[in-house]
Amino acid sequence: MSESDLSKFFEWAVSGFNAIAFDLVVALVVLVVGWVVSNWVGRLVRRVATRSTRIDPTIVPMAHSVTVWSIRVIVLVAVLARLGVQTASIIAVLGAAGLAIGLALQGTLQNIAAGIMLLALRPLRAGESVSVVGKADGTVDEVGLFLTRFKQFDGTYITLPNSLIWGSPILNFSRHDTRRAEIQVLVPYGEDIDLALAELRAMVDTHELALKDPEPLVMVSGYRDNAMLVTVRAWAAAANWFDLQNDMNRQAQRVLKAAGVELPPSRPVHVGA
């Protein structure tokens, strides 16, 4: 090899090395900047979501993670492209892998989809008392991306897959500020029904937990073989519903007996449906 050929080879090697070094430096800069930007945007999303009163706190960690890793995936693809890797083939491989994983984890993906719908539409939220009909009754402890955990009224915990919750009727006892309490009393035929109605109405009108608006209601709602069925309805703050329901059940019999109204010998008071 002549001296001129050797010189050209060294010039080619140096230029190639410089080009590779430049690409490596640019790729490293893109990676570092992209990582920093992803963290900054993630913190921004978390801060905005936390301050918003319309976003459930449960969704904040998921929104943060999705935002951060979406940016990082784009950054990684850009870095590989800068290094000369064919990104089209990478995207195709990732798509095929995602499809295979999706087919293998079909049930898990159903739970994720149901979790997203629960977090987006918010039929239940952490801290609310709900009944997932046929599945669980209690206070919502955590709404996760895969599972939802409840503290049941007896103090035990139950965890349900999100797909079961999304596919079931949900009764939410805490969403509204007020809730209606209801009892039913049997008054035998021949007794003074007007007196019974007046005494029961006075009972709810003077109860400290019964709200004046909506107005309480006391009425004859049906007839049985040996008695008339009287229904008493009163509204209370949601937090006081149980106490009002219990007090009306406890006081109704005493109030009627004190007024001289005789009651049937069995099952004088019935909890409303």
Side-chain angles (χ1 to χ4, degrees), residues 28-40 68 71-72 75:
L28 182 61
V29 170
V30 171
L31 182 62
V32 173
V33 172
W35 226 255
V36 172
V37 169
S38 68
N39 290 330
W40 179 80
V68 169
I71 296 175
R72 288 179 179 179
V75 169

Side-chain angles (χ1 to χ4, degrees), residues 10-270:
F10 278 114
E11 290 178 0
W12 174 81
V14 170
S15 62
F17 176 79
N18 290 337
I20 294 174
F22 178 76
D23 288 339
L24 286 174
V25 171
V26 171
L28 182 61
V29 170
V30 171
L31 182 62
V32 173
V33 172
W35 226 255
V36 172
V37 169
S38 68
N39 290 330
W40 179 80
V41 174
R43 288 194 298 270
L44 178 64
V45 169
R46 182 189 294 273
R47 184 164 59 250
V48 172
T50 301
R51 291 178 179 176
S52 176
T53 57
R54 302 188 62 181
I55 298 178
D56 195 294
T58 312
I59 202 173
V60 174
M62 184 184 69
H64 173 267
S65 299
V66 170
T67 301
V68 169
W69 284 104
S70 296
I71 296 175
R72 288 179 179 179
V73 168
I74 295 174
V75 169
L76 290 174
V77 173
V79 168
L80 292 175
R82 185 66 195 185
L83 296 177
V85 179
Q86 294 295 325
T87 55
S89 60
I90 294 176
I91 294 174
V93 171
L94 290 176
L99 179 60
I101 294 173
L103 293 175
L105 301 177
Q106 186 174 3
T108 302
L109 293 179
Q110 288 178 353
N111 289 325
I112 294 175
I116 292 173
M117 296 303 294
L118 290 173
L119 292 171
L121 300 181
R122 297 188 295 177
L124 48 79
R125 288 178 287 190
E128 292 184 332
S129 295
V130 302
S131 173
V132 181
V133 178
K135 303 296 188 301
D137 302 306
T139 302
V140 181
D141 184 66
E142 179 183 355
V143 182
L145 193 58
F146 300 95
L147 303 168
T148 297
R149 187 170 64 175
F150 300 86
K151 182 179 181 181
Q152 299 191 109
F153 297 130
D154 61 358
T156 59
Y157 275 91
I158 183 172
T159 301
L160 295 178
N162 288 334
S163 58
L164 289 181
I165 301 172
W166 183 249
S168 301
I170 299 173
L171 299 178
N172 194 317
F173 304 120
S174 303
R175 185 59 55 91
H176 295 297
D177 295 332
T178 59
R179 187 178 173 190
R180 191 185 72 190
E182 177 178 316
I183 65 170
Q184 293 179 332
V185 183
L186 290 173
V187 178
Y189 297 118
E191 296 295 324
D192 190 341
I193 186 62
D194 291 330
L195 175 61
L197 294 175
E199 291 296 326
L200 292 172
R201 179 58 186 259
M203 178 190 73
V204 293
D205 283 342
T206 57
H207 199 291
E208 60 180 5
L209 298 181
L211 300 177
K212 300 299 184 290
D213 185 22
E215 185 179 358
L217 177 65
V218 180
M219 63 180 180
V220 177
S221 57
Y223 298 90
R224 299 295 185 264
D225 291 339
N226 61 346
M228 290 172 284
L229 183 66
V230 177
T231 298
V232 181
R233 293 174 178 170
W235 290 82
N240 297 330
W241 175 85
F242 179 81
D243 291 333
L244 178 59
Q245 180 83 18
N246 179 61
D247 282 352
M248 290 198 306
N249 271 323
R250 181 172 54 86
Q251 294 180 17
Q253 184 178 16
R254 177 178 57 81
V255 166
L256 292 179
K257 282 187 175 181
V261 177
E262 295 294 332
L263 298 177
S266 62
R267 301 179 64 189
V269 179
H270 302 262

